[in-house]
Amino acid sequence: MPTNAPTHSLSDVTSSDSTLRRFLHGLPGVDAVGLEARAASLGTRSIKTTAKAYAIDLAISMVDLTTLEGADTPGKVRALGAKAVHPDPTDRTTPATAAVCVYPDMVAAAKEAVAGSPVKVASVATAFPAGRAPIEVKLADVREAVAAGADEIDMVIDRGAFLSGSYMKVYDEIVAVKEACGAARLKVIFETGELSTYDNIRRASWLGMLAGADFIKTSTGKVAVNATPANTLLMLEAVRDFRAQTGVQVGVKPAGGIRTSKDAIKFLVLVNETVGEDWLDNHWFRFGASSLLNDLLMQRQKLATGRYSGPDYVTVD
């Protein structure tokens, strides 16, 4: 498949607003019909039972188990953390999830709940989900989460600045947040449902990677349109081409609207067919989800026993 990466050097494209704009608008336009057709075609792939069992366990290990509600309490977060560590207490062969994702003020409770396990604590920040706050407030948000022990930060870009063409403002903000993260990994959320076009999603992907994102993420899960196979495929193509151009690997996190094992497996097929095995690991691919884990556990139990469990087999988050 031909690369969509630009052929010129990336060494100076962020030297000024004009060079950054010229670079982003010089990216190849997205063939929307072709993109959606390829995503739909890959979504029809079927996998055999043994591969399905592997895919379900892989998907469980890639879940960022998420609670981002105004009614979140330390008790709810601790319960979610316990579930992340042992998703199925009746079967300790079930892999742990990748992370628990919470608001900054809940990081300490999440860290306590997952202590001694491989589960990471991710915190949304930068005035999530709208991102409407001064940069000083956004950076304080990040620093508070990191100080509380967050391993990962999920930031939102300023969509208003991006859509008005103020690309350097968005770039500088991501760079500043990356610095504030310290050792924590940075996921940059585009809110693809608000970017309107596939061309904008491609530009945002390259902008985020140029600014130092460790992951690019589709959505907050708080708007009508979140992760789709097509926008995730487009972002996977972007990380593939960015690595081909720079040697730097960047992760991808679709978030919002992925609720079933069937959905998750479709996304794993997208990963395998677009970027390959290097990304089939929770260090490089995540699902931002809350209800997805329950369906994965139900399907896992069905494969093991041949029947579905009752409605109280999994906890309701």
Side-chain angles (χ1 to χ4, degrees):
M1 187 173 182
T3 180
N4 290 312
T7 57
H8 53 283
S9 171
L10 300 182
S11 59
D12 61 352
V13 299
T14 59
S15 60
S16 70
D17 190 64
S18 61
T19 57
L20 182 57
R21 176 187 302 275
R22 188 160 54 247
F23 170 80
L24 294 176
H25 283 267
L27 292 169
V30 178
D31 174 0
V33 174
L35 178 74
E36 292 173 358
R38 176 162 173 75
S41 173
L42 291 173
T44 65
R45 299 279 178 89
S46 61
I47 60 175
K48 298 185 185 300
T49 302
T50 52
K52 185 176 182 181
Y54 168 77
I56 286 173
D57 276 7
L58 182 59
I60 290 171
S61 77
M62 291 174 165
V63 168
D64 281 2
L65 193 57
T66 302
T67 184
L68 297 169
E69 303 299 334
D72 286 345
T73 64
K76 179 181 180 181
V77 169
R78 283 192 290 269
L80 202 69
K83 183 174 181 177
V85 175
H86 295 298
D88 183 352
T90 70
D91 183 355
R92 292 302 176 96
T93 68
T94 309
T97 71
V100 173
C101 187
V102 295
Y103 277 113
D105 63 328
M106 292 289 141
V107 168
K111 286 293 284 188
E112 177 187 346
V114 303
S117 80
V119 178
K120 306 295 185 185
V121 172
S123 175
V124 296
T126 64
F128 178 96
R132 310 310 307 177
I135 183 62
E136 295 80 11
V137 173
K138 293 180 180 182
L139 294 177
D141 206 20
V142 174
R143 293 183 185 116
E144 177 183 337
V146 172
D151 303 295
E152 302 169 354
I153 296 295
D154 290 34
M155 73 166 284
V156 288
I157 66 165
D158 184 337
R159 279 89 75 191
F162 180 88
L163 290 169
S164 65
S166 299
Y167 301 129
M168 188 57 74
K169 181 178 187 293
V170 179
Y171 173 85
D172 287 342
E173 194 167 281
I174 297 171
V175 169
V177 170
K178 174 70 172 174
E179 183 178 358
C181 283
R185 297 180 81 202
L186 175 62
K187 305 189 196 92
V188 177
I189 309 170
F190 302 137
E191 200 68 287
T192 51
E194 294 184 347
L195 295 188
S196 301
T197 69
Y198 289 130
D199 286 341
N200 276 339
I201 295 171
R202 174 169 284 167
R203 289 170 189 145
S205 297
W206 279 85
L207 179 59
M209 294 186 292
L210 289 167
D214 296 298
F215 265 80
I216 54 175
K217 178 178 172 181
T218 60
S219 327
T220 63
K222 302 295 186 181
V223 299
V225 179
N226 294 290
T228 68
N231 62 33
T232 303
L233 173 58
L234 181 56
M235 291 167 63
L236 287 166
E237 290 176 348
V239 299
R240 176 199 64 198
D241 297 341
F242 188 78
R243 189 176 75 167
Q245 183 86 353
T246 67
V248 176
Q249 187 162 336
V250 176
V252 175
K253 179 179 173 179
I258 305 170
R259 297 184 176 87
T260 68
S261 300
K262 186 176 180 180
D263 290 338
I265 290 171
K266 287 180 180 179
F267 279 85
L268 292 180
V269 171
L270 286 179
V271 175
N272 188 62
E273 295 298 319
T274 308
V275 291
E277 292 185 3
D278 287 353
W279 271 266
L280 283 174
D281 181 278
N282 67 16
H283 195 73
W284 300 113
F285 193 79
R286 300 282 181 85
F287 292 106
S290 51
S291 60
L292 171 62
L293 180 59
N294 284 351
D295 192 70
L296 289 166
L297 294 174
M298 296 284 283
Q299 294 298 329
R300 189 179 194 274
Q301 201 264 355
K302 170 68 162 53
L303 286 176
T305 67
R307 58 182 175 81
Y308 287 108
S309 293
D312 57 353
Y313 174 67
V314 293
T315 58
V316 178
D317 304 320

